[in-house]
Amino acid sequence: MAFKFTRRSLLGASVLALAAASLTFSNTCFAEEENTLVVAFGAQPPSLDTHVTTVSTTNVLARNIFETLVTLDASMNVQPGLAQSWSVSEDGRTYRFTLRSGVKFHNGEPLTSKDVVASLKRWQTYSLTGKSVFEGANWAAEGADTVVLNLPVPRFNALESLAPAYTQDPVIMPGVIAEAATDKPVTKLVGTGPFRLTNWEADRALELERYADYTSFDGTQSGTAGDRTPAFAKLRIEFVPDESTRTFGLSSGEYDIATPLAYDSISELRSSDELNLGSASSAMINLGFNFGKPGIFQDKRAREAINLGLERESVLTAAAVDPQFFRLNNHLMLLAQKQWAADVGKTDFNPADVTKAMNLLQEAGYDGKELVLITSRDYAEMYNSAIVVQQQLQRLGLKVKLESYDWSTYVKARADRQAWDLIILEASPKPAPTQLIFLNKDFPGGPQDAKLEDILAKFRKAGTMEQANELYRKLEEWNQSYIPSVRLGEVDFPFATSKRVQAIDVQYDLMFWTARLRD
Amino acid sequence: MTELTQTILGRRGGAFSRAMQNPHLIVGLIIVGGMALAAVVLPPLMGLDSLAVDPLNRLKPPSVAHPFGTDNFGRDLAARILFGASTSLSLAALVTVLAASLGVAVGILASFSRLLDHVIMRICDGLMAIPALLFALALTATFGPNFSNLVIALVIVFVPGIARLVRARALALRSETFVEAAIAMGGSNLHVMARHIFPNVLSIVAVQVTFIFAETIVIEAALSFLGAGVPPPAASWGNILYDGKAAITKAPYMVLFASTAVVITVVGLTMIGDGLRDLVDPRMSAREAGGVRRFFRLVVPRSGKGDHQ
Amino acid sequence: MFTYTLRRAGALIPVLLVVSIVVFSLGWLAPGDPARIVLGPEALEADVQKLRDSMGLNEPLWHRYLEWMSHAFRGDLGTSYFLNMPVSTAIGQHFGPTMQLAVLTIVYALVISVPLGTLAARWRGSAFDQGIAGFTLIGLTFPSFVLSLLLVIIFSVWLRWLPVAGYRDPFSDPWNGLRYLILPALSLGTIYAALITRTVRASVLDVLKSEYVDAARSRGVSENRLLFAHALRNAGLPIITMIGLSFASLLSGAVVAESIFNIPGIGSLLVNAIERRDYPVLQGVVLFLTIIYLGLNLLVDLLYGVIDPRVRLTDSVVK
């Protein structure tokens, strides 16, 4: 055996050394190739089936491929989508949708009323919104282009619930796929949307191209409504779980858009005039009590003590660093959801009154028992709030043990009612308060209160927005006196675009088809 | 062999002076001892708190008030590194002691029964075929992240290797004249194990133990770095590196200080191990075998075949 | 030779059996639930339980184990819960980046170690030799993930020469593909460079002391020619072993490096599978890595026999 490789590797060494010496920071822009928009996206969602998966990233990606019956314009008014028009019966219980003509699925099949009925039936069976808003509803096809929805009682938000949302969009897929599908996510991703999925490299990238036969909605683009034809040919979503890689790739020109960004990188990115910053979506951060486990927090005074004693500003600073990306808010809905009144309750809800809190805890009979606070380390804002909350609770005289888990274990631990007393909960915003997860009695540790159930039941049957808003006030009053959980505030998820992206629109999250590229 | 054991255990007068002539051992002991001493003495002396957060003073570079700067929660980094030292060192000590005692017991036991030997060694082979770090990662994911579970996971990872080593030495010892004589004289199994085999495997175990100690420190750091080690907010070197990685562009000193601590300690431990090996088995070039073996045990599935004798 | 190979391979069966049982029960014991991950954090427990049923997760453990084993024997490792593809396809997709990284790492390690080791042997005892000894000690003790972080700080954060992390396919984009792999290869390779340097130095020294080198020297062959043409060539056996072992460990041991540098290789696949409780992938990958490792080990042993007929292959190594 001769070892010729030795000499060759010596030669190789010098070549490599030369190469290394000539290495400079090259500014190669893949993004500019072939009119492609390249997005550095956080983690890959578990599926792209919004009917079953409740993750918001599923929604953001799926709505490039799939579409809904109706849409929302920039002022959040309901506009046509796959349904060209609709009529509502006198009693508000029957909706008749006329489908847009000429719409074709990515597999070439035309869109018919059967597809819509099959998709929405599945969505109604499995999605949280479907179950909550459309309980007892019935869908029927009339001819090829008419879909009839029958509700047992009128609902103020029936139409809105069929529009895109933060999570679980009621998307339309071919009837054959929807009928064959169970509660497992569908793997055939065929929609009518502006982009067609061409390749999904697991954990690496999603490649989409502009759908050649796309039939757009009428009017100019506004929110998810109007003309949705993309101005670029290809969309490449790269899954880049590492925050610093996303940021770095953006500044080096590899990515056009990076979302979400690490809060710590904001100040650095802001100083660069090569980039634009924005917020893509938001979440509510709550400190939840466990109503499924007997303990101190069954006593309202103890819950009030926490509500009074926490200093939310530093919690949110630790969570989201930059004041542009967090807000104090003691209401159930986001401040941005202006359709819901935010005038209930006092404005000074963050007194950080340690003495009063300690007195209340004493009244409630806190005996020094160790309380378990759980959080997940996989989401920086959750983990960071938990650290500060734990410190503040200890200042109130509570003995708090922080348990921080990876996401899977966190969710499992949360389901075990005996495993925790307090939880850091990141809840996604919902179009209506009835769908908020932390008010759901079936959610692990959720509040069990007859008055709440009463308000929610009435709320679900509210026929008009006025009735709904009246009930929302009642719900707010209940929320602020009962304190089912302590609202810490809302955080935004920042994104940044390179200068190559002239404009991109946000509704609940980024709408990639609205991006306009500089050439 | 017994002589060497006695040397190691220091029963003979020459042992200490021989140890004193071994520069590796001395320097290693000074490094690791200094680290341990600092971890125990400094925090109360300087009034350090590794958990006190101060979000408004996040990621501040080193200053007089915070000689190593502050981390992403505004906690004092010097305090966290010192507390991290005691976390890492006590974890490593616990794992080493438990793994060594269990490994010695299992190894000696295996050498006394053919059937048991087959069963135990197959299980050891299987466990050792899974790379150590992966195995520890899977175990901590399974047991859930807390200190005692981490200890259990690491003990499970290290026991098979020690058991194999001890078994091989014990089998070799059994054919030595003095053990054969003891058996012929009707010594019970237990007597032979305790009186003859046990003292004579201690020397190789002693060397192995220092390397396991170093490995535990590295694996703890790696596991915590992957988010599966010592549960935060407790300070550990891996946790500091984990937080530091997220802030690497803004506060590279976090990673710099924590890695320095890890490297110094591991170098110190390796020197102790090499020094001990020189004492135990002067024929072997200590640095050579020690380093290589330590390395391969760490990064690769540990094949047991090298231990057969 | 043939029976020896067969017997060695046969000895691997109980090992693989133990591995499969351990891995399978770990997956079962782990808290967390793939059905929950699929449905997302806000899904209600009742829905999760229903999905568990349809995913077959509520079947008894032994039943699932036997089913998995019987399929595995036929080469079918099952289907991932999340990736919409068979586990074997997922392994195939993720093997490329790991392999490229391994090759680059070994190349780097050899480029460093062969000349350094040889020269250290040539000038043994000199200051150069001492320096090399120091370097190898540091190289061996420096945990590679710590080294990667330091390299990132130097080359990406301060100098801004190389990307922090990420991966490009070097075949479709060689220049950037290489740039992304440099830091991972440097951080992984340094430890191997140290290791191989020592091996090279030791084996070259052995050869230099041997009689036939003396003979050649007495014939007036120059010292450099002696060193590179004779000594190095004949010192090949331990070096080959080291390369084989290093390669085996690189294929399975790059978990942390892949995670730090965000390289979509086997290690990332495994870490993701653990995080998502993707049991089929977890089991498949660990089994695959174990087979690769044991297989390469066997290969190295067999190569011994081929390269150096003096090494007799007997069963003494196997019990």
Side-chain angles (χ1 to χ4, degrees):
Chain A
M1 191 80 177
F3 285 89
K4 296 216 172 105
F5 74 90
T6 312
R7 235 172 276 174
R8 254 183 238 155
S9 58
L10 280 171
L11 184 70
S14 40
V15 171
L16 205 78
L18 277 175
S22 65
L23 268 185
T24 44
F25 183 57
S26 96
N27 218 9
T28 327
C29 298
F30 298 86
E32 273 165 19
E33 283 168 12
E34 307 163 24
N35 203 10
T36 304
L37 181 76
V38 185
V39 180
F41 199 81
Q44 170 175 303
S47 88
L48 290 185
D49 183 349
T50 59
H51 291 175
V52 296
T53 301
T54 62
V55 179
S56 59
T57 48
T58 297
N59 226 34
V60 189
L61 297 181
R63 64 184 184 174
N64 295 291
I65 305 169
F66 297 101
E67 294 182 314
T68 49
L69 268 194
V70 297
T71 56
L72 294 170
D73 63 18
S75 0
M76 305 307 267
N77 298 313
V78 178
Q79 297 292 344
L82 289 175
Q84 177 108 49
S85 61
W86 56 88
S87 62
V88 190
S89 69
E90 200 75 351
D91 61 358
R93 287 179 48 210
T94 307
Y95 289 72
R96 193 175 292 271
F97 298 92
T98 308
L99 299 184
R100 193 174 295 278
S101 59
V103 177
K104 277 189 198 154
F105 282 109
H106 298 156
N107 60 6
E109 299 288 322
L111 168 81
T112 70
S113 52
K114 281 192 184 135
D115 302 313
V116 176
V117 170
S119 301
L120 292 178
K121 272 187 174 162
R122 177 165 183 262
W123 176 74
Q124 182 185 331
T125 315
Y126 296 120
S127 78
L128 294 173
T129 324
K131 277 192 263 198
S132 139
V133 180
F134 292 92
E135 197 191 345
N138 186 46
W139 297 89
E142 259 186 27
D145 65 346
T146 307
V147 174
V148 180
L149 161 68
N150 269 303
L151 294 167
V153 286
R155 302 272 157 80
F156 74 96
N157 57 348
L159 263 186
E160 272 168 28
S161 307
L162 294 174
Y166 282 105
T167 56
Q168 302 216 283
D169 280 2
V171 300
I172 310 300
M173 50 182 78
V176 269
I177 296 180
E179 273 159 17
T182 57
D183 52 350
K184 278 194 200 173
V186 293
T187 50
K188 285 186 195 127
L189 301 165
V190 179
T192 57
F195 291 103
R196 200 171 65 87
L197 182 66
T198 51
N199 188 20
W200 184 348
E201 287 176 80
D203 284 331
R204 214 180 296 179
L206 211 54
E207 279 171 16
L208 303 112
E209 66 176 24
R210 186 164 51 196
Y211 180 36
D213 286 337
Y214 182 60
T215 310
S216 181
F217 305 156
D218 308 323
T220 50
Q221 183 264 328
S222 166
T224 42
D227 188 359
R228 294 152 58 108
T229 316
F232 51 94
K234 281 186 182 167
L235 172 62
R236 184 177 161 85
I237 311 276
E238 290 201 14
F239 299 113
V240 187
D242 184 74
E243 288 176 334
S244 44
T245 317
R246 291 199 291 273
T247 318
F248 195 84
L250 188 72
S251 12
S252 71
E254 268 168 74
Y255 307 128
D256 298 313
I257 300 177
T259 179
L261 292 176
Y263 293 109
D264 273 322
S265 63
I266 297 293
S267 56
E268 195 184 333
L269 293 177
R270 185 175 280 144
S271 60
S272 153
D273 12 297
E274 292 297 305
L275 306 169
N276 289 319
L277 276 176
S279 35
S281 67
S282 315
M284 319 185 197
I285 298 194
N286 293 353
L287 174 64
F289 302 109
N290 187 348
F291 288 95
K293 178 185 177 187
I296 176 99
F297 294 119
Q298 301 290 355
D299 190 318
K300 195 185 130 183
R301 285 169 297 189
R303 302 199 296 272
E304 207 177 336
I306 311 292
N307 198 26
L308 286 174
L310 284 183
E311 202 280 285
R312 293 164 174 80
E313 196 89 36
S314 15
V315 177
L316 291 176
T317 306
V321 182
D322 192 310
Q324 187 192 337
F325 296 107
F326 66 78
R327 279 167 304 282
L328 272 73
N329 176 9
N330 64 333
H331 292 98
L332 290 168
M333 306 302 274
L334 293 185
L335 291 176
Q337 293 174 297
K338 298 216 190 311
Q339 64 271 41
W340 301 104
D343 55 0
V344 184
K346 53 175 184 270
T347 44
D348 181 25
F349 58 89
N350 188 27
D353 191 337
V354 175
T355 338
K356 200 164 169 195
M358 290 175 87
N359 288 339
L360 277 169
L361 280 173
Q362 204 162 23
E363 279 175 42
Y366 176 63
D367 54 1
K369 197 171 145 276
E370 188 179 71
L371 302 168
V372 175
L373 168 66
I374 63 172
T375 188
S376 171
R377 196 179 187 174
D378 291 354
Y379 293 87
E381 63 282 356
M382 285 176 71
Y383 172 68
N384 293 358
S385 344
I387 300 271
V388 181
V389 165
Q390 184 210 19
Q391 286 284 305
Q392 293 195 2
L393 290 178
Q394 281 178 334
R395 216 171 49 203
L396 301 182
L398 293 169
K399 203 172 153 203
V400 180
K401 184 174 169 226
L402 177 65
E403 289 187 357
S404 143
Y405 299 113
D406 70 289
W407 184 247
S408 309
T409 316
Y410 166 80
V411 177
K412 199 72 189 168
R414 187 177 73 182
D416 177 2
R417 293 180 196 283
Q418 294 310 309
W420 54 279
D421 302 280
L422 292 156
I423 186 168
I424 296 289
L425 202 61
E426 190 173 273
S428 60
K430 295 284 186 285
T434 44
Q435 294 152 23
L436 287 171
I437 201 70
F438 51 88
L439 294 181
N440 194 320
K441 65 174 179 358
D442 295 327
F443 192 69
Q448 318 286 323
D449 186 61
K451 196 169 173 211
L452 169 68
E453 293 310 311
D454 182 49
I455 301 173
L456 287 178
K458 283 190 188 137
F459 211 139
R460 289 197 190 98
K461 291 184 178 140
T464 65
M465 193 63 205
E466 287 72 45
Q467 289 171 17
N469 240 321
E470 201 42 53
L471 284 160
Y472 177 63
R473 275 171 218 278
K474 281 199 179 135
L475 193 61
E476 271 295 345
E477 276 162 25
W478 173 85
N479 182 52
Q480 290 179 27
S481 71
Y482 190 84
I483 316 173
S485 54
V486 173
R487 191 63 193 281
L488 297 171
E490 49 188 67
V491 294
D492 297 333
F493 299 112
F495 75 94
T497 63
S498 68
K499 269 288 186 292
R500 186 176 169 245
V501 180
Q502 278 181 304
I504 185 162
D505 213 354
V506 170
Q507 183 178 88
Y508 300 125
D509 207 313
L510 290 163
M511 297 179 288
F512 296 120
W513 65 87
T514 64
R516 294 287 175 273
L517 304 182
R518 208 183 294 270
D519 289 306
Chain B
M1 263 305 153
T2 352
E3 267 184 14
L4 277 170
T5 316
Q6 285 173 349
T7 316
I8 275 299
L9 296 178
R11 284 189 211 142
R12 285 204 343 200
F16 184 73
S17 57
R18 270 187 57 202
M20 289 314 286
Q21 284 160 12
N22 187 317
H24 276 146
L25 192 60
I26 304 296
V27 176
L29 281 174
I30 290 175
I31 291 176
V32 179
M35 190 65 87
L37 197 69
V40 173
V41 172
L42 284 184
L45 209 67
M46 294 166 66
L48 295 174
D49 184 348
S50 67
L51 296 176
V53 300
D54 181 7
L56 301 178
N57 280 313
R58 310 172 65 247
L59 301 175
K60 291 275 181 286
S63 62
V64 181
H66 301 288
F68 286 4
T70 62
D71 75 354
N72 50 338
F73 292 97
R75 297 176 293 208
D76 182 54
L77 195 58
R80 289 193 68 74
I81 285 184
L82 285 173
F83 278 93
S86 58
T87 310
S88 289
L89 292 176
S90 51
L91 177 88
L94 210 59
V95 168
T96 309
V97 169
L98 289 177
S101 359
L102 217 66
V104 168
V106 171
I108 294 184
L109 214 63
S111 71
F112 274 78
S113 151
R114 268 215 112 95
L115 181 70
L116 212 57
D117 186 38
H118 264 283
V119 176
I120 291 178
M121 284 309 120
R122 288 297 81 71
I123 295 176
C124 287
D125 284 344
L127 294 181
M128 285 161 65
I130 310 173
L133 185 63
L134 286 190
F135 195 27
L137 191 66
L139 282 171
T140 46
T142 303
F143 296 152
N146 71 45
F147 191 82
S148 45
N149 286 348
L150 187 59
V151 172
I152 296 174
L154 290 175
V155 168
I156 295 180
V157 170
F158 289 125
V159 163
I162 304 183
R164 266 218 163 279
L165 193 71
V166 169
R167 165 193 169 273
R169 162 98 5 273
L171 281 182
L173 283 169
R174 288 198 57 170
S175 53
E176 298 252 341
T177 0
F178 69 95
V179 178
E180 274 178 351
I183 296 174
M185 279 157 66
S188 72
N189 272 350
L190 201 65
H191 172 83
V192 177
M193 282 187 204
R195 191 78 191 83
H196 299 284
I197 307 284
F198 176 70
N200 287 297
V201 297
L202 278 186
S203 57
I204 50 160
V205 172
V207 176
Q208 198 59 27
V209 148
T210 51
F211 293 125
I212 288 183
F213 202 100
E215 274 174 66
T216 309
I217 285 178
V218 174
I219 291 191
E220 181 279 320
L223 283 178
S224 299
F225 182 76
L226 291 173
V230 175
S236 94
W237 290 336
N239 284 341
I240 301 171
L241 287 171
Y242 177 91
D243 291 337
K245 166 82 197 309
I248 199 164
T249 44
K250 223 176 165 188
Y253 57 85
M254 275 179 78
V255 168
L256 285 181
F257 288 130
S259 10
T260 311
V262 175
V263 171
I264 288 181
T265 313
V266 174
V267 169
L269 284 166
T270 311
M271 290 176 120
I272 297 181
D274 289 347
L276 275 183
R277 190 183 291 276
D278 281 343
L279 283 189
V280 172
D281 191 354
R283 286 164 303 180
M284 229 168 164
S285 168
R287 269 159 295 160
E288 211 70 37
V292 172
R293 175 179 285 239
R294 193 192 77 76
F295 168 74
F296 267 109
R297 278 186 41 86
L298 183 63
V299 293
V300 304
R302 292 121 320 144
S303 132
K305 67 181 178 0
D307 300 329
H308 288 267
Q309 309 210 337
Chain C
M1 174 80 190
F2 182 68
T3 45
Y4 168 77
T5 311
L6 266 190
R7 214 175 301 189
R8 278 294 305 272
L12 297 184
I13 291 172
V15 174
L16 289 175
L17 210 64
V18 172
V19 170
S20 74
I21 292 174
V22 168
V23 173
F24 203 89
S25 35
L26 279 182
W28 177 71
L29 286 168
D33 184 344
R36 162 61 72 181
I37 314 281
V38 169
L39 293 184
E42 301 198 337
L44 300 176
E45 198 53 37
D47 293 334
V48 174
Q49 280 307 324
K50 272 188 225 144
L51 182 60
R52 281 185 65 87
D53 274 338
S54 44
M55 288 169 86
L57 288 166
N58 286 335
E59 308 261 331
L61 183 71
W62 61 268
H63 184 248
R64 286 196 283 144
Y65 176 72
L66 288 184
E67 201 172 24
W68 178 67
M69 277 304 279
S70 72
H71 281 107
F73 263 116
R74 281 173 270 152
D76 171 14
L77 291 172
T79 305
S80 159
Y81 293 150
F82 297 93
L83 305 177
N84 295 335
M85 59 172 76
V87 173
S88 42
T89 315
I91 292 178
Q93 275 192 5
H94 288 78
F95 196 59
T98 302
M99 192 71 182
Q100 291 151 13
L101 179 57
V103 169
L104 196 63
T105 305
I106 290 292
V107 168
Y108 156 70
L110 285 178
V111 161
I112 294 286
S113 60
V114 172
L116 287 189
T118 315
L119 293 177
R122 165 88 164 76
W123 297 312
R124 64 178 171 281
S126 69
F128 179 80
D129 190 22
Q130 296 286 322
I132 295 296
F135 156 74
T136 55
L137 176 70
I138 299 286
L140 281 175
T141 42
F142 224 98
S144 73
F145 81 99
V146 171
L147 182 61
S148 10
L149 290 173
L150 297 180
L151 289 175
V152 167
I153 291 183
I154 297 171
F155 290 103
S156 303
V157 179
W158 288 344
L159 297 175
R160 303 212 127 220
W161 284 357
L162 294 166
V164 177
Y167 173 79
R168 290 281 169 279
D169 186 0
F171 293 107
S172 58
D173 183 4
W175 170 240
N176 278 290
L178 187 68
R179 287 181 64 225
Y180 277 95
L181 286 176
I182 288 177
L183 287 188
L186 285 186
S187 58
L188 277 175
T190 301
I191 210 162
Y192 294 95
L195 203 59
I196 302 177
T197 305
R198 282 188 174 183
T199 316
V200 170
R201 179 183 175 277
S203 17
V204 170
L205 269 184
D206 273 355
V207 179
L208 283 181
K209 281 182 210 147
S210 67
E211 285 168 14
Y212 87 96
V213 170
D214 282 343
R217 194 176 280 136
S218 62
R219 271 187 285 128
V221 179
S222 83
E223 197 68 14
N224 282 335
R225 195 175 149 68
L226 258 181
L227 197 63
F228 288 100
H230 294 263
L232 200 52
R233 173 178 284 189
N234 289 288
L237 193 56
I239 301 177
I240 278 279
T241 314
M242 216 37 127
I243 294 173
L245 289 177
S246 307
F247 209 73
S249 75
L250 270 173
L251 293 182
S252 58
V255 181
V256 189
E258 285 183 9
S259 157
I260 289 178
F261 291 104
N262 195 20
I263 294 167
I266 293 282
S268 303
L269 181 66
L270 192 82
V271 170
N272 282 334
I274 290 178
E275 271 171 15
R276 290 193 283 230
R277 308 293 187 258
D278 198 345
Y279 302 143
V281 174
L282 174 67
Q283 291 151 8
V285 169
V286 174
L287 200 65
F288 171 77
L289 288 181
T290 312
I291 292 175
I292 286 273
Y293 176 72
L294 295 175
L296 274 175
N297 247 340
L298 180 58
L299 204 67
V300 168
D301 283 354
L302 294 178
L303 266 182
Y304 253 62
V306 177
I307 297 170
D308 188 349
R310 281 170 305 177
V311 178
R312 263 188 59 229
L313 295 176
T314 63
D315 283 350
S316 66
V317 258
V318 188
K319 247 184 38 77

